[in-house]
Amino acid sequence: MRRRTMLTIPFAAALAGAVSGPAAAAGAPAASPGAARLAGRVEELLGKLTLDEKISLLHQWQPAIPRLGMKAFRTGTEALHGLAWLGPATVFPQAIGLGSTWNPELIEEVGSAVGDEVRGLQHERPAGWGLNVWAPVTQLLRDPRWGRNEEGYSEDPHLVGVMATAYAKGLIGGDPDHLKTAPLVKHYLANNNEVRRDQTSSDLRPRVFKEYEEPAHKAAIAADAACGVMTAYNLVNGRPCTVTDLNNSVRTWTDRTLLNVTDAWAPNNLPADGSQKYFDTLAEADAAILKAGLDSFTTDDTDPSKTVAAINEALDKGLLAESDVDTAVRHILDIRFRLGEFDENGGPYGHLDKSVIDSPAHRRLARKAATEAIVLLKNESGALPLDARALRKVAVVGPLADTLYTDWYSGELPYRVTPLSGITKRLGAGADVVSSEGVDRIALKNASTGAYITAGTGASGAALKESATDAGVTEHFDVFGWGQGVVTLRAAANGKVVGMRDPGGSGYQFFNDQAQPNGWFVSQLFSLQEQSDGTVLLKYVGYENWLGENVYLRARAADGVLVLGSAAEASRYTREVVRDGIEEAVAAARTADTAIVVVGSMPFINSRETDDREDMGLAETQAALVKAVRAANPKTVVVVENSYPTTLTWEQEHVPALLWTTHAGQETGNALADVLFGDVSPSGKLTQTWYRSEDDLPSLLEYDNIKFDRTYQYFKGEVLYPFGHGLSYTSFRYGKPRAVRGGIEVAVTNTGRRTGAEVVQLYTRQRTSRVKQPLKRLQAFRKVTLKPGQTRTVTLPLSREDLAHWDVTRSRWVVEESTYEVMVGSSSGDLRGRTTLEVRGETVPARDLSRSTRAENFDDYAGVRLVDEAKPRGTAVGAESARAWLLFADADLRGGARRLTARVAKESSGEGTIEVRLGAPDGRLAGRATVTSTGSRYAYTEVTAALSGASRRQDVYLVLTEGLRLATFSLS
């Protein structure tokens, strides 16, 4: 029988007091002593600006105002995992990799280094540079298929909040009054799908928003580590995020001034000629953006003219007052002052220059971060670490063995340590390291003419054309498979990837001139489509969406140059295999002491902004390579280098050792070697659930974690690897957790023979509740390094507020009287110690539906969507099916409710109904109200209906006909 801990002194003292939510402990720090002086400086400068000058500052590219000594200023330097888009700079692991370190102290160091490098360009101020940085990303990774999975930290809001706060603290430099950079968190709010991302609406009922979404975005703002938010492209509850009300949400999280910005081009989605069509004109849209609490318009690249014209039109029409412009400019100036823009020598960080970029210290930090980001997924019978002294021959094979890929938000790598080069260096001159990329090398011969496709030589390559009658090096192409039939072609002639471009108006052609797939539209993608006669068609499958059906390659009759055409016009090719990639890799692996297979993704292809994943497995060609090498050499280690969870079911069952790393930047190879050979014991932990199949997941567009059992908190099925999973080369023993003042204490002992780091994780579960509760919820964690035999007592913070959930019956946080399980361990699936807390909290009273009740505060639902009650603010419930329903559980109807009163809208013609049913959606009918068309989705009317038999304490269902929008109701 488990011992139960009563929640009394000393633990109760730490848990006493009012409940204001799980993030309440962080609080909003008090205003600094310099705040008043800063406000005075801002007001003085604001008063000197003309209206035209103030309006000019609202665009992302703020012009210089020489008469006031104001330089040009730009919002939006990308700094997700290093300084990006501005030349060579230190590239740290992708954000998902930084999260996998579970080491906030390290992540703050990384943020500080990135902040230094951003500052390093301040004396040159190149185009595209600015001190307002767009990082960190605080979107939650609720679905591993999301295209931008690489940009976030975790599926868990607590972990996201901790890591984002750490990174942002590093970026600001530790003093909110004197900012190294001004980071903002993005993208607010609930954006986890790329498909039609500017047109889809994410349904966030109050519990999902309060318990899951808000804490992740709020943490860094509330800690004064971030200086604002960027709004997302999507809609939430029917309202575009670009006009969501930040004044009554984000701006309440801190007493400091925030600079909030739109995402790129998002303002242009709002008017009638945009994708969202939410307003008639851009003037209306831009006015709504300012009134919603945004300050800067990221749109139209460097051209501010549309924004300036729209703001002036809004002022002329009375949609805005000059005071609205002043408010936004005041926020902008506050941040610029804190950045030292108006201080002599640029303030305390004005001395930093370009010498900090890619410094030796930053190189060491990049290696440390890349090493700690590696997760040991499986290690059967001590397959790892490898003994470098005993290895005479090592095979390092796979398509990612000797390359490093960057992503859309990466900086330019200053140097590259690939897995092959890192392993080779670690083994030294005495070892024989053999390698193969494991990809086929082919030649493509026109089946009709016998002419081969030929590539150009030299760094810039040439337009591909059919010219040669024999296949030499210039006719050879390496075929890299990325899954679902998508391949890239690398020309053997110069080692460059083939892509499409228009060389000056002569039509699209194909050139071997790219170092790696890249670009917004990723024009380096092809599919080799087999035909019944054994030939193949070469189909172009790049991201362009305007090419129609003319996406097949054909040889131009005049000169043989490859251009686009229809399937009927396409050239038919005989595929000649010059080198079988799998055979070559197997030959290398068969005689090796161990084989290391490096597979994974290409960040511009498999999953990225604008492109969600459909398949969660390895690319077919890569899976086949792993199986073949494993069959040839039982001592096989697989390294998976990608940006997301992968369904490695076969690999988990058959491969002795599996490592996962994100794309980890310039030091990837050294970091892998450090872990493979045991110089460092792996300590990374997964920040997402790794599912066994995409069949375990609901639609990507379902945002209700509670109803659809999303993430480790609610998922009940069998997983491949649980949230928090990650093995070590040593072992750890956990003692019995016990409550102490301020939290939970547990002793952890290193019982192995190696020094290692363990991430001690604390979870809670509420056993009884009025509502569906998480199966477990991460409350705290701490990474500790222990020598062999060493024991350390770890204290993990836990407060009363951490046990709260959002009570929809009263729209406030509540800690219920219940037994709470406290669990500590190495992952959410490997819990080593438990205790229980008997918490003397509240009993949520029965619902009082006699008061006006917001429809969105339901307990369950079917056939409805959450919609915008009005354009500025408010959420209503829209019926999407003929008998949609809402549940309001445990309602106390007392002696009897006599009347339904509802505030409802119906845009479509005809009549609809609202039924009050008891006990079930098809339960006893207590009353029915008829609703006639109101002519607009925003035109609400009050309807009533008499009720009978609606008494006592029971579940109440409202059943709606399709097309109704319900804002509020009461049963009185």
Side-chain angles (χ1 to χ4, degrees):
M1 179 181 293
R2 295 193 185 103
R3 177 174 61 85
R4 299 197 302 172
T5 301
M6 295 300 294
L7 192 58
T8 53
I9 303 296
F11 194 60
L15 303 191
V19 176
S20 55
S32 66
R37 191 175 78 88
L38 172 62
R41 295 179 71 188
V42 169
E43 291 303 319
E44 181 182 4
L45 182 53
L46 181 66
K48 295 178 180 179
L49 292 166
T50 67
L51 178 58
D52 285 343
E53 288 170 337
K54 287 185 285 191
I55 293 172
S56 76
L57 298 179
L58 300 180
H59 190 265
Q60 178 188 18
W61 294 80
Q62 301 174 25
I65 303 177
R67 72 179 188 87
L68 296 176
M70 295 177 64
K71 297 179 180 179
F73 185 85
R74 177 181 183 266
T75 64
T77 296
E78 298 292 356
L80 181 60
H81 55 110
L83 172 64
W85 301 3
L86 293 169
T90 307
V91 179
F92 295 94
Q94 292 174 310
I96 182 66
L98 294 176
S100 300
T101 69
W102 290 63
N103 187 342
E105 290 79 15
L106 172 62
I107 301 314
E108 185 171 345
E109 286 186 62
V110 171
S112 181
V114 175
D116 285 349
E117 296 202 4
V118 172
R119 273 281 179 176
L121 297 176
Q122 64 187 333
H123 301 295
E124 299 177 12
R125 302 176 75 94
W129 171 88
L131 290 174
N132 172 227
V133 295
W134 290 353
V137 166
T138 50
Q139 282 153 283
L140 289 145
L141 307 182
R142 63 162 48 79
D143 193 308
R145 297 168 296 184
W146 180 40
R148 304 182 77 167
N149 198 83
E150 67 195 31
E151 298 181 37
Y153 293 116
S154 174
E155 68 183 36
D156 180 77
H158 175 74
L159 183 55
V160 169
V162 170
M163 302 308 269
T165 300
Y167 192 71
K169 278 184 176 179
L171 285 168
I172 70 167
D175 180 0
D177 288 327
H178 301 92
L179 303 173
K180 183 188 296 185
T181 68
L184 56 78
V185 300
K186 63 178 189 176
H187 307 83
Y188 187 81
L189 174 72
N191 175 207
N192 289 123
N193 62 279
E194 296 304 293
V195 57
R196 304 190 316 278
R197 61 179 179 172
D198 57 332
Q199 299 171 56
T200 58
S201 179
S202 307
D203 283 13
L204 286 188
R205 56 167 159 155
R207 275 196 68 198
V208 177
F209 172 69
K210 285 292 187 179
E211 296 175 24
Y212 189 70
E213 280 286 339
E214 186 180 65
H217 298 286
K218 181 177 181 179
I221 299 284
D224 284 345
C227 301
V229 302
M230 171 189 280
T231 50
Y233 286 117
N234 59 295
L235 300 86
V236 168
N237 298 346
R239 180 179 297 104
C241 288
T242 312
V243 289
T244 195
D245 182 6
L246 303 183
N247 293 317
N248 291 301
S249 57
V250 173
R251 290 197 186 277
T252 68
W253 299 343
T254 177
D255 292 331
R256 300 303 306 237
T257 295
L258 301 177
L259 167 58
N260 299 323
V261 310
T262 74
D263 207 340
W265 295 81
N268 291 349
N269 294 334
L270 291 167
D273 58 354
S275 60
Q276 294 172 336
K277 307 183 188 310
Y278 202 69
F279 298 98
D280 291 333
T281 67
L282 186 61
E284 291 175 85
D286 284 5
I289 289 171
L290 282 185
K291 285 182 172 294
L294 282 97
D295 309 302
S296 180
F297 293 80
T298 312
T299 189
D300 303 303
D301 293 330
T302 60
D303 179 12
S305 61
K306 289 184 181 179
T307 298
V308 169
I311 295 298
N312 276 310
E313 181 183 343
L315 288 166
D316 290 342
K317 292 182 175 180
L319 301 173
L320 286 174
E322 185 172 354
S323 60
D324 296 314
V325 175
D326 286 350
T327 296
V329 174
R330 188 175 288 113
H331 299 156
I332 293 165
L333 294 179
D334 180 283
I335 297 298
R336 291 185 63 172
F337 269 110
R338 289 157 65 191
L339 284 167
E341 282 274 296
F342 307 111
D343 291 344
E344 186 177 357
N345 299 320
Y349 301 104
H351 66 283
L352 293 171
D353 60 26
K354 201 170 182 178
S355 65
V356 301
I357 297 176
D358 187 35
S359 67
H362 291 179
R363 291 185 174 193
R364 291 190 295 271
L365 185 61
R367 181 169 181 168
K368 179 176 174 59
T371 302
E372 289 202 32
I374 294 171
V375 180
L376 180 60
L377 299 174
K378 178 185 178 182
N379 193 23
E380 186 178 86
S381 303
L384 291 176
L386 302 173
D387 185 352
R389 296 168 298 179
L391 296 175
R392 293 168 296 172
K393 184 176 182 180
V394 175
V396 183
V397 301
L400 278 74
D402 197 25
T403 190
L404 295 181
Y405 287 126
T406 54
D407 61 52
W408 180 250
Y409 289 104
S410 288
E412 181 182 335
L413 293 170
Y415 60 92
R416 297 168 183 263
V417 183
T418 68
L420 176 62
S421 60
I423 291 167
T424 301
K425 179 182 176 182
R426 175 61 180 80
L427 288 172
D432 180 13
V433 180
V434 294
S435 184
S436 166
E437 289 176 308
V439 301
D440 289 348
R441 176 165 288 186
I442 67 170
L444 293 170
K445 181 173 68 173
N446 189 305
S448 298
T449 67
Y452 287 91
I453 297 178
T454 301
T457 58
S460 58
L464 269 60
K465 62 181 179 179
E466 293 180 7
S467 60
T469 55
D470 294 309
V473 173
T474 54
E475 287 70 49
H476 293 170
F477 297 89
D478 298 324
V479 184
F480 290 79
W482 301 110
Q484 298 181 289
V486 175
V487 303
T488 51
L489 301 173
R490 187 183 66 194
N494 64 352
K496 293 296 184 69
V497 177
V498 175
M500 185 185 76
R501 61 182 173 88
D502 184 350
S506 58
Y508 292 115
Q509 298 174 25
F510 297 87
F511 293 79
N512 58 313
D513 60 355
Q514 299 299 307
Q516 70 167 49
N518 63 83
W520 184 253
F521 291 106
V522 196
S523 60
Q524 297 86 25
L525 309 182
F526 302 89
S527 174
L528 295 170
Q529 296 189 340
E530 294 188 8
Q531 305 301 299
S532 58
D533 62 358
T535 63
V536 296
L537 301 185
L538 193 53
K539 183 179 182 180
Y540 173 70
V541 293
Y543 284 5
E544 289 84 352
N545 57 6
W546 59 82
L547 297 175
E549 297 181 356
N550 294 312
V551 291
Y552 289 85
L553 274 63
R554 64 180 179 87
R556 197 161 57 191
D559 53 10
V561 171
L562 296 186
V563 294
L564 291 175
S566 66
E569 299 171 312
S571 298
R572 289 176 176 256
Y573 295 102
T574 301
R575 172 177 169 153
E576 298 179 358
V577 178
V578 179
R579 181 190 67 208
D580 186 301
I582 289 181
E583 285 186 4
E584 183 183 68
V586 165
R590 183 175 289 118
T591 59
D593 297 321
T594 192
I596 301 168
V597 189
V598 189
V599 293
S601 71
M602 200 287 131
F604 277 82
I605 298 173
N606 293 104
S607 175
R608 59 154 283 183
E609 187 171 359
T610 74
D611 189 49
D612 297 312
R613 281 196 299 161
E614 297 177 6
D615 187 336
M616 290 171 59
L618 285 176
E620 300 87 350
T621 53
Q622 296 183 20
L625 173 66
V626 170
K627 291 176 181 178
V629 172
R630 172 64 180 85
N633 190 333
K635 296 182 178 180
T636 292
V637 176
V638 172
V639 176
V640 180
E641 184 180 340
N642 63 21
S643 313
Y644 40 71
T646 308
T647 51
L648 303 173
T649 49
W650 186 93
E651 293 77 11
Q652 170 63 22
E653 184 176 351
H654 294 94
V655 176
L658 291 170
L659 286 169
W660 175 81
T661 178
T662 187
H663 294 280
Q666 63 213 50
E667 286 286 342
T668 299
N670 283 332
L672 276 172
D674 287 342
V675 170
L676 286 167
F677 297 103
D679 299 327
V680 177
S681 181
S683 63
K685 299 281 187 176
L686 299 179
T687 65
Q688 289 177 273
T689 303
W690 284 42
Y691 299 94
R692 302 189 69 85
S693 168
E694 52 264 30
D695 294 338
D696 291 331
L697 296 167
S699 164
L700 191 64
L701 301 178
E702 295 289 3
Y703 278 74
D704 189 340
N705 291 13
I706 300 172
K707 187 174 182 69
F708 294 98
D709 294 334
R710 279 194 180 278
T711 79
Y712 80 95
Q713 292 189 353
Y714 293 97
F715 184 69
K716 301 182 181 72
E718 181 184 356
V719 302
L720 182 64
Y721 306 116
F723 172 81
H725 172 73
L727 305 177
S728 173
Y729 292 154
T730 188
S731 56
F732 300 95
R733 183 179 67 241
Y734 282 69
K736 179 74 175 179
R738 66 187 188 94
V740 296
R741 181 178 294 274
I744 300 295
E745 185 178 87
V746 62
V748 182
T749 302
N750 182 343
T751 55
R753 298 180 179 180
R754 292 174 176 269
T755 296
E758 170 72 330
V759 179
V760 183
Q761 301 166 41
L762 170 66
Y763 298 87
T764 62
R765 182 175 78 88
Q766 184 175 340
R767 285 186 178 173
T768 58
S769 176
R770 178 190 176 277
V771 296
K772 181 178 178 180
Q773 289 287 349
L775 301 173
K776 54 181 74 78
R777 184 168 66 177
L778 181 70
Q779 299 285 11
F781 63 91
R782 186 177 174 191
K783 193 168 192 174
V784 294
T785 299
L786 300 174
K787 296 177 181 179
Q790 184 181 4
T791 297
R792 181 174 299 175
T793 298
V794 178
T795 301
L796 300 162
L798 182 67
S799 69
R800 182 184 183 88
E801 287 78 10
D802 295 330
L803 304 177
H805 73 269
W806 187 255
D807 175 22
V808 295
T809 72
R810 296 170 294 175
S811 295
R812 67 174 177 84
W813 293 101
V814 61
V815 175
E816 288 183 291
E817 181 154 335
S818 181
T819 300
Y820 293 78
E821 288 186 50
V822 176
M823 302 161 280
V824 294
S826 190
S827 80
S828 64
D830 183 12
L831 299 169
R832 311 285 186 84
R834 298 171 183 263
T835 189
T836 56
L837 302 174
E838 297 297 327
V839 177
R840 295 190 179 100
E842 293 184 63
T843 297
V844 176
R847 277 187 180 270
D848 180 3
L849 297 182
S850 66
R851 298 179 299 180
S852 179
T853 299
R854 296 207 61 83
E856 65 179 309
N857 284 326
F858 49 72
D859 290 294
D860 199 4
Y861 60 95
V864 303
R865 296 294 308 272
L866 292 171
V867 296
D868 52 335
E869 180 182 358
K871 287 187 177 182
R873 62 187 59 86
T875 297
V877 177
E880 297 279 305
S881 62
R883 292 194 62 77
W885 56 262
L886 302 173
L887 165 63
F888 297 87
D890 189 28
D892 187 357
L893 303 178
R894 300 181 176 86
R898 301 287 182 263
R899 179 177 296 276
L900 163 70
T901 303
R903 186 168 171 268
V904 63
K906 187 177 188 296
E907 185 171 38
S908 58
S909 60
E911 292 185 343
T913 61
I914 304 174
E915 296 179 349
V916 178
R917 291 188 175 268
L918 305 175
D922 58 353
R924 188 166 64 80
L925 178 66
R928 179 188 290 117
T930 299
V931 182
T932 59
S933 174
T934 62
S936 167
R937 68 187 64 184
Y938 302 120
Y940 284 83
T941 187
E942 187 177 278
V943 298
T944 62
L947 302 177
S948 64
S951 61
R952 302 187 308 278
R953 191 164 169 171
Q954 57 184 303
D955 294 343
V956 172
Y957 287 81
L958 299 185
V959 182
L960 315 175
T961 54
E962 185 176 0
L964 295 189
R965 287 185 165 210
L966 177 64
T968 60
F969 75 98
S970 63
L971 306 181
S972 58

